[in-house]
Structure formats: structure tokens, C-alpha cells
Amino acid sequence: MADTFIMLADWLVYGLLGLDRQTHFAGVAHFFVEDTAKIFFLLTTLMLLAGFIRSWISPEKVRHWLQGKPKGLAYFLAVTLGAITPFCSCSSIPLFISFLGSGIPFGVTMAFLITSPMVSEVGAVLFGEAIGWHFTLAYVGIGMATGMVGGALIDRMKLEKWVEPFVIRVNVPVDGAEGTKPAIRKRFDRAWNETRDILKRVWPYVLIGVGIGAVIHGYVPQEWIAGNLGADNLLAVPLAVIAAVPLYSNVTGVVPVAEVLVDKGLPVGTTLAFVMSTVAISLPELVILRKVLKLEMLALFVAWLVVAFIVTGYVFNALF
Amino acid sequence: MKKVELFGTGCRTCAVTEKMIRDKAAALGVQIELVKVDDPAEIVSRGVISIPAVMVEGTFVHKGGLPSGRDIETWLA
């Protein structure tokens, strides 16, 4: 299927626009057309499908599944459900309060909140198509492991004191009003609405991401990346993670950048560290979480992710 | 006068939903009293997790995600 997009870009860039294949600029334009078309096509299809499936998994159900489970199982369930259910970040506050209020441990709740924004099915498939399925496996695995270990550490350190006190006092109804059971047609309509809404929100990230990827593709020489940011430069991994902290992008915007970095020979571990840090640490998300978590907890949250991604980067660079 | 309660913490989707409801009510000529419930504690204690959620005359008609224009028409009819 990927060939279709290469053919489209060939036709548009070399045929219709008549650019010379040998020039850097033609390479940039080709990359831009191919990746933009591919990402928007996959994004739309995947979001429709994910939205449709998600209409069966409400947060009420997730809460129900996590309640009263032995801790080990609860952590695993929390990150698995976190990975497959991308809740709108605006729902994370009610979700957090309601999880804690119905007896789900703080560590398990945090495991869910760490993994959920980091791993998405859209990201998983895009990475697979653009870079390879080994990268998808690493992306999902790291997202789940960071959540599980982070949650367990928070639990072990007994950090409930860093939750805003009002949260504990909220009286959560035992059986929150169940959502209605909509007809298939209605679920599809809703998925379509959501897809349109998300597309409206993420298209700039995609274009910027593809743009950056295209410029690196056309103008940054492979030798430069290998020479300066290779696995033997021990500073490359922490630099990649820290440089990405203030950057925030939807995962779809990072894919083309990661694709071209790997292509240019940036080690997989360094690329993964950069990708995870860009996707996971976002200022808007932290501002929202500040409503329920004290500043100390947010600082620890960010510190944990930074450390986890740096370690990940070194480990993957050493192994592959 | 219909009482419409909108549960949301000020996120973008919630703001869009509010505007859609107001516009639709104006277009249909329906008088509504729109109450915004934005205190997270109150939202949760009334059984809502996914926002925006909408209650019309004391009954939940919507939980989570962006409603469609057609949804809103049914609520206000």
C-alpha cells in the first residue's frame, strides 16, 4: 500500500511539477507529498476504526475492570487499557478523581494516566508503516513499562500526600450512571464526528512534522548525524530527551521526524528516547493535572519520565 | 424554558459543545437556561467521568466527546 503514496508523489513532484530528481529540493518535495498523503490517509482510517471500537469501552467500564484487582494484575490492566483507550485529556481530571474515589490505588491510577496519553493505536500503526514493526513494539512496550514501573514506584513511596486534598473528599457514586447503549449507526456517526474534530486539531502538527522531516531528509547529511549523534556520543540520548521536553506534539507529528532520523542513521535508542519524550511530556497536560496533583508530584512525574526515557535510549542503543 | 446542564472543565471540546448548544437553541427558537458545571468534584459526584456531558431537564443525554448537531436538535425538541 505504501507504494501508492510513492507513486502519487512521483506523479505530482516529477511529473506534474517537473522537478529534477537529482536536486535536494525535489527530494524534500517528494518526501513532503508522500508522507502527508500517507499520514492523513492512515490517520483518518485508524481514527474512525479506533473511535468505533472505543465506543464500547467507557471510562466507567475501565474503572469497573480495575476495581478490587490484585495489584500486579491491576498495573498490567491499567497500562493495557491505557494504551488502547485514548481518553481526551480533558477527561483525565474526572477520571482521576473517580478512580481514586472508587478505591483504585493511587499507583494504579497513575500507571493508567502515564501510559494513556503516550501510547495510541494510531501512533503504533504509523510507526509500523513508516519505520518498521520492531519500532512499534518498542514504542508500545516502553509506554506500558514506564506506566507500570512509574505507578509501582509512586505506590511504594506512598505519595498520596501529593494529591490535592479535595480529591479524597469527593463522594463518588458507586455505580456512576451507565452510558446509554447506542445503535451501531450512532456509534459510527460519533466516531466520524470525533475523527473530524481530531483532524481539525492535529493537521498543523502533521504538516510541521512532515516539513521538518522533509528538510532533514533533503539537507542534513547522513555523515553529520552518524558523526555527531551516534551511539558513541553518550550525551546524545540525554540531549534528545531534554530537547524534547518543551516540544510537544501529537504522535502523528513525530512520526515523519523519527522516520527520517532513523533513515539518516540516528541510533534507534536515541530516536525512541526523543519520540517518547516529545509525546509524553506536554505542558498543557501538566497544567490540567495540576488541578488534582501538587507541584511536587508533577515534578516527580516529569523527572521519572526523563530518567525512564534516558535509560531506554541507552539500553536500546546498546542492544541494537 | 429548558434547563440544560453542561458538565465540563473548560477544555476545548466542552467550549465547542457549549457554543453548538447555544447556536442550535437560537436557530430553533428554543429558550434554554444553560448551567455550566465546571467544578471537578461536583462533576464526579454526579456520576460523570467523560466530559463534556449534557443533562437536559434532569436526564443525561450525552457523555463524552463532541455531540453532533442532530443530537442537539433531539435534546432540544
Side-chain angles (χ1 to χ4, degrees):
Chain A
M1 186 190 63
D3 294 346
T4 322
F5 300 106
I6 298 179
M7 275 155 58
L8 172 78
D10 281 347
W11 170 76
L12 193 75
V13 175
Y14 306 134
L16 207 62
L17 296 176
L19 295 180
D20 178 3
R21 268 172 205 269
Q22 305 305 323
T23 61
H24 282 303
F25 183 72
V28 171
H30 190 276
F31 183 95
F32 191 84
V33 172
E34 184 195 333
D35 261 43
T36 309
K38 185 167 71 186
I39 290 180
F40 276 113
F41 172 78
L42 286 172
L43 189 58
T44 312
T45 327
L46 292 168
M47 277 193 311
L48 267 179
L49 196 67
F52 188 60
I53 295 170
R54 194 167 63 236
S55 69
W56 275 274
I57 313 175
S58 64
E60 285 85 355
K61 278 192 190 145
V62 172
R63 191 182 63 181
H64 179 72
W65 287 329
L66 292 179
Q67 261 171 323
K69 293 281 184 301
K71 259 189 192 159
L73 180 63
Y75 282 117
F76 182 73
L77 268 179
V79 297
T80 310
L81 292 166
I84 56 178
T85 51
F87 292 117
C88 163
S89 65
C90 55
S91 285
S92 47
I93 294 309
L95 196 116
F96 180 85
I97 301 176
S98 138
F99 275 25
L100 283 193
S102 42
I104 296 171
F106 182 40
V108 176
T109 305
M110 287 306 291
F112 180 86
L113 276 186
I114 292 174
T115 302
S116 182
M118 219 187 308
V119 182
S120 74
E121 44 279 80
V122 174
V125 177
L126 286 178
F127 280 127
E129 275 289 322
I131 302 175
W133 296 96
H134 61 288
F135 200 88
T136 296
L137 200 66
Y139 161 72
V140 175
I142 296 166
M144 289 175 66
T146 324
M148 271 171 81
V149 179
L153 281 176
I154 289 167
D155 186 69
R156 184 60 65 86
M157 292 162 74
K158 307 224 178 307
L159 296 179
E160 283 82 353
K161 56 177 186 280
W162 286 346
V163 176
E164 287 293 344
F166 86 91
V167 172
I168 319 287
R169 289 195 297 268
V170 176
N171 181 18
V172 180
V174 184
D175 198 16
E178 254 302 305
T180 45
K181 290 205 165 29
I184 297 285
R185 168 80 224 211
K186 184 106 183 134
R187 291 174 194 270
F188 194 78
D189 281 352
R190 205 168 282 174
W192 177 239
N193 265 335
E194 264 171 45
T195 303
R196 246 187 0 202
D197 187 55
I198 296 173
L199 275 177
K200 256 195 256 169
R201 200 145 25 109
V202 305
W203 71 264
Y205 289 115
V206 176
L207 290 190
I208 293 172
V210 178
I212 294 174
V215 170
I216 300 176
H217 173 80
Y219 294 103
V220 179
Q222 191 152 355
E223 307 78 57
W224 187 86
I225 295 206
N228 293 289
L229 301 171
D232 48 344
N233 179 355
L234 288 181
L235 281 178
V237 171
L239 268 179
V241 172
I242 289 162
V245 170
L247 292 182
Y248 172 69
S249 164
N250 183 280
V251 65
T252 36
V254 190
V255 172
V257 179
E259 177 187 3
V260 77
L261 288 174
V262 168
D263 199 41
K264 291 274 176 181
L266 188 71
V268 168
T270 315
T271 312
L272 273 168
F274 177 78
V275 163
M276 302 311 286
S277 181
T278 309
V279 176
I281 306 174
S282 85
L283 192 63
E285 172 85 7
L286 292 175
V287 169
I288 291 178
L289 286 177
R290 177 64 192 92
K291 287 186 187 160
V292 285
L293 297 175
K294 295 196 172 154
L295 222 49
E296 293 92 324
M297 188 64 226
L298 290 183
L300 185 80
F301 182 81
V302 174
W304 160 244
L305 291 177
V306 166
V307 171
F309 298 150
I310 292 179
V311 171
T312 306
Y314 284 135
V315 169
F316 273 81
N317 280 351
L319 291 177
F320 300 100
Chain B
M1 181 80 99
K2 279 203 168 186
K3 185 175 180 189
V4 179
E5 285 173 275
L6 177 63
F7 296 72
T9 51
C11 67
R12 213 190 61 94
T13 318
C14 304
V16 175
T17 308
E18 180 188 348
K19 186 173 181 314
M20 284 171 74
I21 294 176
R22 289 195 192 279
D23 289 354
K24 205 49 132 183
L28 296 172
V30 180
Q31 292 278 330
I32 56 165
E33 183 204 352
L34 188 73
V35 182
K36 286 199 277 178
V37 183
D38 53 12
D39 171 31
E42 187 185 348
I43 292 178
V44 175
S45 63
R46 291 179 62 184
V48 173
I49 304 182
S50 310
I51 51 176
V54 182
M55 195 176 226
V56 178
E57 299 288 345
T59 312
F60 278 112
V61 291
H62 180 79
K63 280 189 172 179
L66 197 66
S68 68
R70 221 177 321 147
D71 287 336
I72 301 178
E73 261 169 47
T74 355
W75 308 338
L76 299 180

